[in-house]
Coordinates of all heavy atoms in Angstrom, one line a residue:
F1 N 111.7 283.0 142.7 CA 110.7 282.1 143.3 C 109.4 282.3 142.4 O 109.0 283.3 142.0 CB 110.4 282.5 144.8 CG 111.6 282.2 145.6 CD1 112.5 283.2 145.9 CD2 111.9 280.9 146.0 CE1 113.6 282.9 146.8 CE2 112.9 280.6 146.8 CZ 113.9 281.7 147.1
S2 N 108.6 281.2 142.4 CA 107.3 281.3 141.7 C 106.3 281.8 142.8 O 105.3 282.5 142.3 CB 106.8 279.9 141.3 OG 106.7 279.0 142.5
C3 N 106.5 281.6 144.1 CA 105.5 282.2 145.0 C 106.4 282.6 146.3 O 107.4 281.9 146.6 CB 104.5 281.2 145.4 SG 103.3 280.7 144.1
A4 N 105.9 283.6 146.9 CA 106.5 284.0 148.3 C 105.4 284.1 149.2 O 104.4 284.8 148.9 CB 107.2 285.3 148.1
M5 N 105.5 283.4 150.4 CA 104.4 283.4 151.4 C 104.8 284.2 152.5 O 106.0 284.0 153.1 CB 104.1 281.9 151.7 CG 103.7 281.0 150.6 SD 103.0 279.4 151.2 CE 104.3 278.8 152.2
L6 N 103.9 284.8 153.1 CA 104.0 285.5 154.4 C 102.8 285.2 155.3 O 101.8 285.7 155.1 CB 104.2 287.0 154.3 CG 105.5 287.5 153.7 CD1 105.2 287.7 152.2 CD2 105.9 288.8 154.3
I7 N 102.9 284.1 156.2 CA 101.8 283.7 156.9 C 102.0 284.1 158.4 O 102.9 283.8 159.1 CB 101.8 282.1 156.9 CG1 102.0 281.6 155.5 CG2 100.5 281.6 157.6 CD1 100.9 282.0 154.5
V8 N 101.1 285.0 158.7 CA 101.1 285.7 160.0 C 102.5 286.3 160.3 O 103.2 286.0 161.4 CB 100.6 284.8 161.2 CG1 100.4 285.7 162.4 CG2 99.4 284.1 160.8
T9 N 103.1 286.9 159.4 CA 104.5 287.5 159.4 C 104.5 289.0 159.3 O 105.2 289.7 160.1 CB 105.3 286.9 158.2 OG1 105.4 285.5 158.3 CG2 106.6 287.5 158.1
L10 N 103.7 289.7 158.5 CA 103.7 291.1 158.4 C 103.5 291.8 159.8 O 104.2 292.9 160.0 CB 102.6 291.6 157.4 CG 102.9 291.3 155.9 CD1 101.8 291.9 155.1 CD2 104.2 292.0 155.5
C11 N 102.7 291.2 160.6 CA 102.5 291.9 161.9 C 103.7 291.7 162.8 O 103.8 292.5 163.8 CB 101.3 291.2 162.6 SG 101.4 289.4 162.8
F12 N 104.7 291.0 162.4 CA 105.9 290.8 163.3 C 107.1 291.5 162.7 O 108.2 291.7 163.5 CB 106.2 289.4 163.6 CG 105.3 288.7 164.5 CD1 104.3 287.8 164.1 CD2 105.4 288.9 165.9 CE1 103.5 287.2 165.0 CE2 104.6 288.4 166.9 CZ 103.6 287.5 166.4
V13 N 107.1 292.0 161.4 CA 108.3 292.6 160.9 C 108.2 294.1 161.2 O 107.2 294.7 161.4 CB 108.3 292.3 159.3 CG1 108.4 290.9 159.0 CG2 107.1 293.0 158.6
K14 N 109.5 294.7 161.2 CA 109.6 296.1 161.5 C 109.0 297.0 160.4 O 108.5 298.0 160.7 CB 111.1 296.4 161.8 CG 111.6 295.9 163.2 CD 113.1 296.3 163.4 CE 113.5 295.7 164.7 NZ 114.9 296.1 165.0
D15 N 109.3 296.6 159.1 CA 109.0 297.4 158.0 C 108.1 296.5 157.1 O 108.7 295.9 156.2 CB 110.1 297.9 157.4 CG 109.7 299.0 156.4 OD1 108.6 298.9 155.8 OD2 110.6 299.8 156.1
P16 N 106.8 296.4 157.3 CA 106.0 295.5 156.4 C 106.0 295.9 154.9 O 106.0 295.1 154.0 CB 104.5 295.7 156.9 CG 104.6 297.0 157.8 CD 105.9 297.0 158.3
L17 N 106.1 297.2 154.7 CA 106.3 297.8 153.3 C 107.5 297.2 152.6 O 107.4 296.7 151.5 CB 106.2 299.2 153.2 CG 106.4 299.9 151.8 CD1 105.3 299.3 150.9 CD2 106.3 301.3 151.9
L18 N 108.6 297.3 153.3 CA 109.9 296.9 152.7 C 109.8 295.3 152.6 O 110.4 294.8 151.6 CB 111.0 297.3 153.7 CG 112.4 296.9 153.1 CD1 112.7 297.4 151.7 CD2 113.5 297.5 154.0
A19 N 109.2 294.6 153.5 CA 109.1 293.1 153.5 C 108.4 292.8 152.2 O 108.7 291.8 151.5 CB 108.4 292.6 154.6
L20 N 107.2 293.4 151.9 CA 106.5 293.1 150.6 C 107.3 293.5 149.4 O 107.2 292.7 148.4 CB 105.2 293.9 150.7 CG 104.1 293.3 151.6 CD1 102.8 294.1 151.4 CD2 103.8 291.8 151.2
K21 N 108.0 294.6 149.5 CA 108.9 294.9 148.3 C 110.0 293.9 148.1 O 110.2 293.5 146.9 CB 109.4 296.3 148.5 CG 108.5 297.4 148.3 CD 109.3 298.8 148.5 CE 108.3 300.0 148.2 NZ 109.0 301.3 148.4
E22 N 110.5 293.4 149.1 CA 111.5 292.3 149.0 C 110.9 291.0 148.5 O 111.5 290.4 147.6 CB 112.2 292.1 150.3 CG 113.3 292.9 150.6 CD 114.5 292.7 149.7 OE1 115.4 291.8 150.0 OE2 114.6 293.3 148.7
A23 N 109.7 290.7 148.9 CA 109.0 289.5 148.5 C 108.7 289.7 146.9 O 109.0 288.8 146.2 CB 107.7 289.3 149.2
K24 N 108.3 290.8 146.5 CA 108.1 291.2 145.1 C 109.3 291.0 144.3 O 109.4 290.6 143.2 CB 107.4 292.6 145.0 CG 107.3 293.0 143.5 CD 106.8 294.5 143.5 CE 106.7 295.0 142.2 NZ 106.4 296.5 142.2
R25 N 110.5 291.5 144.8 CA 111.8 291.5 144.1 C 112.2 290.1 143.8 O 112.7 289.9 142.7 CB 112.7 292.2 145.0 CG 114.1 292.3 144.3 CD 115.2 292.8 145.2 NE 115.5 292.0 146.5 CZ 116.3 290.9 146.5 NH1 116.8 290.5 145.3 NH2 116.5 290.2 147.6
V26 N 112.0 289.2 144.7 CA 112.6 287.8 144.5 C 111.6 286.9 143.7 O 111.8 285.7 143.4 CB 112.9 287.1 145.8 CG1 114.0 288.0 146.5 CG2 111.8 286.9 146.7
L27 N 110.4 287.5 143.3 CA 109.4 286.8 142.7 C 109.6 286.8 141.2 O 109.9 287.9 140.7 CB 108.1 287.5 143.1 CG 106.8 286.7 143.0 CD1 106.8 285.5 143.9 CD2 105.5 287.6 143.3
K28 N 109.3 285.8 140.5 CA 109.3 285.8 139.0 C 108.1 286.6 138.5 O 107.2 286.9 139.3 CB 109.1 284.3 138.5 CG 110.2 283.4 138.8 CD 110.0 282.0 138.3 CE 111.2 281.1 138.5 NZ 110.9 279.7 138.0
E29 N 108.3 287.1 137.3 CA 107.3 288.0 136.8 C 105.9 287.7 136.8 O 105.0 288.4 137.1 CB 107.7 288.4 135.3 CG 107.2 289.8 134.9 CD 107.8 290.8 135.8 OE1 108.9 290.9 136.0 OE2 107.0 291.7 136.1

């Protein structure tokens, strides 16, 4: 993906750090 969005999402996920790492993983350089 060119962009990954999390709109009022981090506050609802169990592991926000892992969520950001996953978003980073699927993101183009």
Side-chain angles (χ1 to χ4, degrees):
F1 298 97
S2 60
C3 292
M5 306 192 300
L6 293 92
I7 314 301
V8 195
T9 293
L10 285 180
C11 54
F12 285 105
V13 300
K14 289 183 179 179
D15 191 333
L17 175 57
L18 184 52
L20 281 183
K21 285 183 175 180
E22 273 290 272
K24 177 186 174 185
R25 178 185 66 78
V26 301
L27 203 62
K28 292 181 178 179
E29 205 58 46

